[in-house]
Structure formats: structure tokens, C-alpha cells
Amino acid sequence: MDSQTSQSSQASQSPQTPHTFQVDLRGLVDLLSHHLYSSPKVYLRELLQNAVDAITARRAEEPGAPARVRLYAEGGALRVEDSGVGLTEADVHTLLATIGRSSKRADGLREARSDFLGQFGIGLLACFVVAERIRVVSRSARTPEAPPVEWTARDDGSYTVRPLPATDRPEPGTTVYLTARPGAAEWLAPERVLTLARDFGSLLPYDVRVGEEAVTDLPAPWERSYPSPANRRVALARHCHELFGFTPLDSIDLDVPLAGIRGVAYVLPSAVSPAQRAGHRVHLKGMLLTERAEQLLPDWAFFVRCVLDTDSLRPTASRESLYEDETLAAVREALGERIRSWLTSLAAGDPERLAAFLSVHHLGVKSLARHDKEMLRTMLPWLPFETTDGRLSLEEFAQRHPVVHFTRTVEEYRQVAPIASAQGVGVVNGGYTYDSELVEALPSVRPGTAVAELDADTVTAHLDSVDAGVELALSGFLAAARAKLDPLGCDVVLRAFHPLSVPALHLDDRAARHEQARAEAEERADDLWAGILGSLRGSAPRARLVLNHLNPLVRRISALGDPELIGTATESLYGQALLMAQRPLRPADSALLNRAFISLLEWATHGEGGSR
């Protein structure tokens, strides 16, 4: 090893001098106000939180200690007084002047940590979002002989500490003085402070007031005693309107003692999209944590809005949302079970209220029933479905029909519903969200039920065949009709069915549509892709136009002797059948309708010398 390598090795093994991070307070305040917190209003929550935690700390040692928080706002300044544990001069240097240090780490309080609101030690720093100067005057309850101490900090990062005469703070506790920064005085206005204090602190366990106005309003509305269940429903409905702005269909208690959850869920009075993210109000040990908690309930419970208090869930660093962990997952499952139990109890004891609920929120219940067989079994007599027998539950429909046929799309249902109904074939429209999945799950909760997807062959099989002699006599007509529709990938068959008013029925299924789409793509493709798509040609059935031999118009058309006129009439029947099924028209279909219409007009207005 050469000397240079040896020196380098010795240098790498020599002790390193540690350095301390330097914090730019103004930059940190900017980070808090623009990235961590959603609004400057959180400064008041931090003040209330510090005051409540100080009282909790004192009561851990003096259970009978006073528990008061007072806020006074005037002239762009705010004063917050609490009767908490207070600080000595050493505490001030240790706790207030060190960013990231939490007073909850003080000696002897680790075992009481779960009783505190704060977990991240940001504390008074958040107040710089609205204040240019913070002054704290405090006297320790643990060390009564220690003099009061004053800590004054500015948003440039400087601070001073000095002891005060005992007369400046005769009782233990802390007073915080804020002086508004330019442009932020509105956040310290008396009306704004009272509104924020009530929003954040209405469920706090201590006596909190802004001036003479009470902030706390305990017990919570869902924990109060009422003369009757009807009175309770009215009171909770009023509470819901005050919080969320709507009068609920019903309220659901969310008391989960093992998870430390107490609250209520309000059922929305109108339908909402399942994709719409719900905002729930969550209080942490009485302090409002967020009013936009989105991950609190299972996705299927999008029809309720919750307000609750918890002591088990973890907040994120900004204390404005919930930390996704195993505890939150367990709470979400427990709250979902409460809502599921409420639905079950309605089904068992209050069918009228259940019917009113399902008329608005059947989609949410169907979403739940897809994954929960017990819920599907419970809701089977109640969940509404569109069927050829009208709007019925699957239970009632299955009792009427030995086979429950269903379609996977609304278009397929519209094609066959009138005809199937006339032939006595029961069909459920499975084209709406979740419906086909629930129909297919029916045998799992109702053993012995036969379920089958309806296709074109099934419908055609239920239509009466035309006498062989009649069909042979009409072979020329059918040949002309088939030749006209063959380029469209559609066959023509002759059947007799009701209602008589329907001249033609267009039938296809997914396989036929896939083959049709492949054929169209093959026509538009270059030689290479045309060869590839041609190799994918399958034996899928083609769409078919079923002509109703019982219909007078079809009989008159079949008696025509002009092949060209037969073709035009067939095109018209094809287009009319597509429109009746409310199917989206392809460009080729639109061109066909236009061509058939013009041809019929020309034929109808032909001169006297022409045949009509």
C-alpha cells in the first residue's frame, strides 16, 4: 500500500465532527402554510390543542385541577389562557425553542401519551401562519416556587426568554398572545375566532370559551338523552342539517367501544354517484381533525355522511386527515358492519323505511350484496330490478319463472323484452350497474334457482315456426330479403309471434357483434391486417332479422313480386327494428335507412304509368 492510500485510509477512520441542521424559520412557515396545512385556520386548532394537552398533563398529576381555556380577540390580537401544567424557564428552552420537540415527551408523562391530542411537536410554530409575533407567559404547576417565565418569538426566527415577577402570573397555567401579521388580521377577528373555536372544539372535554361565549357543547348530540326515539330523530336531523346542509333519510349509530368510536352516520336523502368521494367529520379526542375524511367507510357505503369522535385513529403530520394503517382498516370494517346491521334490522322490522331507502340508494346496497352473500340473502325480497314482469325483486321474479333469463346489456334487453314477455319468457335487465352479477349469484343464496343468459337462439326458439309449405311458398321473398341484408352481416328468418303489431325483430348477441366488428375492421385494414383479422374469423352466429308472419304489413310485403321493392321494404323493416331496440346506429345503418326512405318515396310517388 503506498503512502497516499495509507493517508487516505487514516483520514477516513478519523473521528468526524457532527454538525447541527440550521432551520430557516421563515422558509419553514412558508412550507407549513402552503404545503402542510390546507388553511391558516389551523392555527386556532393548534392553540386549543396545546391548551387542552396542558390541562390533561396537569390533571394526570392533580385530578382536581381546574380545566379552563379562555380566548379573547380584539384589535388584530388574540389572547389564549389555560389552567394547564405550565412551564419553567428550562422547559421553555427545551420545548418551545426546539422545532419538532413535543411537550408530551416531558418526564413522567409517557404513560399518559394516549390522552394527548398532539403527536408531532409542531405546536406554536403553526401560529406564525397568521402571527408575526408570539408571546407566551407561563407558570409551572409542577414547580410552584419557580417564577413565571416569558418567551417572545418573531417570525424571523429570533426569540427571547426572561423571568417575570410572581404577580404577573399568580396561578399555574399559560397565556399565549398573538399579534397578527400584515394581511392576516381577519383570522384574529372575534367573530372568526368564535366560529373556528366552535368548529374545532365543540366536543372538547373541558370548559372552553371565547369571551363569554361557550364553545363546548357536551354531551354530543348522539350521546344525549331524549324523551322519545322520535325526539332523538328530530334532534339528529337538525344536527345533520347544521353540519352537512341536508335533512337525512335516517341516522345510524356508530358506537364501537372496542375501537374507541362514538358517532352517527346520516343517510343522504338523494342519490349520489358511487364514484363521488364522501367527506366525513372526524374528531380526535374531542378536537375536530378533519371534515373531509374519505377513507373512513367502505366504498359501498357512499350513501351516508358520518360525524364521530375517536381516540384510536392516528392523524397524519398535518392533523387534517387519517393515517392509513391496520387500525383504520379495522375501524372501517367495524363501521361497515354497523351500517350493514342497520340495513338488516330495517329488512326485519321496518319494511316501509327500507323501501324508502332503497328507492334512493339501491345502487349502494347492490354493491354491498355483490360481495356479501348474507346481505344478498337479506335484501333479496327488497332490491328492485327491471324485468319483463315490471319492477320486481329477484325473489318474486324467481317464484314466477322456472328459469331466470337475463341480458348483460340494456340494448339486448330492449331488443327482446316485448317479444319475450308476449311469449311468457321472463327476462331480467342485467345491463345496469351490478345487476347481472347479482342475478348470476342468485343460485348461491337460493338453491335450485336456474339462471341463464338470454341469447338470440333462445329467443328464436320460443317463437312459433311457420308452416313448412308456407315458408316454401315464400322462398323467393326470403331469398331477396336475405340477399339485401347479407352485406350487413344479418340473416333473415320467418317466424310467427306476438304481439302482432311488431313486424320485425332484430336479434344479435355479443358474439355476433364481435364478429361484425371484426368484419368491419377487416374491410378498413390494409392487406397485412386484413389477413390477420381474416384468420380470426370465427363461427359466431350472425345477427338476424326475425320477420313476423302474423303481422299484416309483413304479409303484404311477402306478396310483392318485385325483388327490388322487396329489398327496399326489407331494409326499411331492418332499420325500424334497430330503432325499436334503441341500438346505436353504425354509419352503414344510417346510410341504409336514408336509402330505404328515399326509395320508398320514389316508389310511392311514381308516375301513373308505373306499378304501385
Side-chain angles (χ1 to χ4, degrees):
M1 180 182 297
D2 57 29
S3 60
Q4 184 176 357
T5 304
S6 176
Q7 290 173 0
S8 175
S9 175
Q10 292 174 1
S12 65
Q13 295 176 3
S14 61
Q16 301 293 314
T17 303
H19 298 279
T20 302
F21 282 105
Q22 301 299 310
V23 177
D24 179 357
L25 187 57
R26 285 181 175 173
L28 189 55
V29 170
D30 180 73
L31 178 66
L32 292 175
S33 59
H34 291 97
H35 300 283
L36 184 61
Y37 295 131
S38 62
S39 167
K41 69 181 182 180
V42 297
Y43 87 92
L44 193 66
R45 184 194 62 200
E46 296 294 339
L47 289 173
L48 287 176
Q49 176 178 290
N50 287 341
V52 169
D53 283 346
I55 294 172
T56 301
R58 184 176 180 183
R59 284 203 154 189
E61 301 176 1
E62 302 176 50
R68 297 186 305 271
V69 181
R70 298 290 183 266
L71 297 90
Y72 303 94
E74 185 178 2
L78 177 65
R79 183 172 88 254
V80 182
E81 301 177 352
D82 70 65
S83 58
V85 68
L87 303 170
T88 63
E89 183 174 351
D91 293 334
V92 166
H93 284 290
T94 302
L95 301 174
L96 296 187
T98 303
I99 296 172
R101 176 76 56 88
S102 172
S103 61
K104 272 65 75 178
R105 298 190 182 109
D107 291 340
L109 292 181
R110 288 188 179 88
E111 67 278 3
R113 185 178 178 87
S114 64
D115 294 329
F116 294 106
L117 301 172
Q119 297 288 323
F120 299 95
I122 295 175
L124 288 174
L125 190 61
C127 295
F128 280 121
V129 173
V130 298
E132 65 177 0
R133 185 167 67 96
I134 303 173
R135 177 172 169 252
V136 178
V137 176
S138 187
R139 183 165 187 169
S140 175
R142 292 202 194 102
T143 314
E145 66 278 7
V149 62
E150 178 192 71
W151 177 82
T152 304
R154 296 185 176 277
D155 60 2
D156 62 1
S158 64
Y159 72 92
T160 60
V161 180
R162 67 186 181 100
L164 297 176
T167 54
D168 284 11
R169 179 82 200 193
E171 297 294 330
T174 301
T175 303
V176 179
Y177 302 84
L178 299 187
T179 303
R181 63 190 310 130
E186 62 172 306
W187 291 103
L188 274 63
E191 298 81 6
R192 178 66 67 89
V193 170
L194 178 60
T195 299
L196 293 179
R198 283 178 170 166
D199 198 34
F200 283 119
S202 62
L203 300 184
L204 289 174
Y206 304 133
D207 179 16
V208 182
R209 296 177 182 270
V210 177
E212 298 301 320
E213 298 286 341
V215 168
T216 51
D217 186 20
L218 295 176
W222 54 85
E223 293 180 329
R224 297 173 189 169
S225 298
Y226 297 95
S228 68
N231 290 106
R232 187 175 191 271
R233 281 197 296 271
V234 170
L236 290 179
R238 187 183 307 116
H239 177 246
C240 175
H241 196 274
E242 292 172 355
L243 285 185
F244 298 112
F246 66 85
T247 300
L249 281 178
D250 207 347
S251 58
I252 308 169
D253 286 321
L254 299 179
D255 199 20
V256 187
L258 292 178
I261 298 290
R262 303 160 300 279
V264 62
Y266 294 116
V267 181
L268 289 165
S270 56
V272 295
S273 167
Q276 180 177 329
R277 304 303 298 174
H280 308 292
R281 290 176 64 93
V282 177
H283 296 255
L284 180 60
K285 305 179 183 72
M287 182 75 74
L288 179 66
L289 180 71
T290 179
E291 52 191 357
R292 296 187 302 273
E294 296 182 349
Q295 69 273 49
L296 187 65
L297 294 180
D299 291 340
W300 56 262
F302 56 82
F303 49 83
V304 299
R305 297 291 179 269
C306 296
V307 54
L308 55 84
D309 188 22
T310 176
D311 55 21
S312 63
L313 298 178
R314 291 174 57 196
T316 59
S318 66
R319 291 193 284 280
E320 293 186 283
S321 58
L322 297 171
Y323 187 80
E324 185 68 51
D325 58 9
E326 293 181 357
T327 302
L328 179 57
V331 165
R332 183 162 47 237
E333 183 177 349
L335 295 180
E337 182 58 38
R338 289 293 182 274
I339 298 174
R340 184 185 290 108
S341 298
W342 170 77
L343 286 170
T344 303
S345 65
L346 284 187
D350 201 339
E352 290 185 3
R353 284 171 66 198
L354 178 63
F357 166 76
L358 289 177
S359 67
V360 178
H361 296 299
H362 58 274
L363 198 59
V365 179
K366 286 181 177 180
S367 175
L368 170 60
R370 287 185 307 152
H371 307 293
D372 189 325
K373 287 186 178 180
E374 189 58 38
M375 180 55 61
L376 177 58
R377 185 178 290 106
T378 301
M379 292 291 109
L380 205 55
W382 309 103
L383 286 174
F385 290 79
E386 183 180 358
T387 77
T388 49
D389 291 355
R391 200 160 180 81
L392 298 175
S393 69
L394 286 182
E395 175 67 29
E396 186 175 357
F397 188 81
Q399 291 174 358
R400 296 185 180 187
H401 298 277
V403 178
V404 178
H405 290 97
F406 72 98
T407 63
R408 291 193 182 275
T409 68
V410 175
E411 290 78 10
E412 290 175 355
Y413 178 80
R414 287 170 178 166
Q415 286 183 77
V416 302
I419 309 303
S421 179
Q423 308 305 313
V425 179
V427 184
V428 178
N429 185 355
Y432 296 114
T433 306
Y434 310 134
D435 282 9
S436 60
E437 297 175 67
L438 293 176
V439 175
E440 288 181 299
L442 188 57
S444 67
V445 296
R446 196 178 189 273
T449 303
V451 172
E453 182 177 354
L454 190 68
D455 55 23
D457 289 334
T458 303
V459 177
T460 305
H462 280 82
L463 304 180
D464 294 334
S465 298
V466 178
D467 182 78
V470 172
E471 188 164 0
L472 181 61
L474 297 176
S475 59
F477 159 72
L478 292 174
R482 287 166 181 157
K484 198 66 175 179
L485 296 187
D486 185 68
L488 297 173
C490 183
D491 291 331
V492 177
V493 296
L494 190 65
R495 292 289 187 273
F497 57 86
H498 294 273
L500 301 180
S501 58
V502 177
L505 177 65
H506 181 269
L507 293 177
D508 64 1
D509 51 27
R510 283 176 297 164
R513 287 195 292 275
H514 290 165
E515 175 61 20
Q516 189 177 61
R518 186 209 59 76
E520 291 176 355
E522 183 179 355
E523 291 179 2
R524 297 191 301 268
D526 56 28
D527 292 341
L528 174 61
W529 278 109
I532 295 175
L533 291 170
S535 67
L536 298 177
R537 183 183 295 112
S539 58
R542 286 152 54 97
R544 66 196 69 176
L545 182 68
V546 184
L547 300 179
N548 187 2
H549 185 59
L550 300 180
N551 181 267
L553 176 61
V554 172
R555 289 194 175 219
R556 287 198 295 271
I557 293 174
S558 65
L560 294 173
D562 185 348
E564 184 177 347
L565 188 55
I566 289 175
T568 299
T570 303
E571 286 181 331
S572 300
L573 291 175
Y574 173 82
Q576 188 262 356
L578 287 179
L579 294 175
M580 290 297 294
Q582 301 182 41
R583 291 288 303 277
L585 298 180
R586 300 170 298 164
D589 297 329
S590 299
L592 175 145
L593 280 170
N594 183 61
R595 182 174 63 251
F597 178 71
I598 296 299
S599 298
L600 288 175
L601 282 180
E602 289 178 350
W603 177 80
T605 58
H606 199 276
E608 293 182 0
S611 61
R612 294 184 60 182

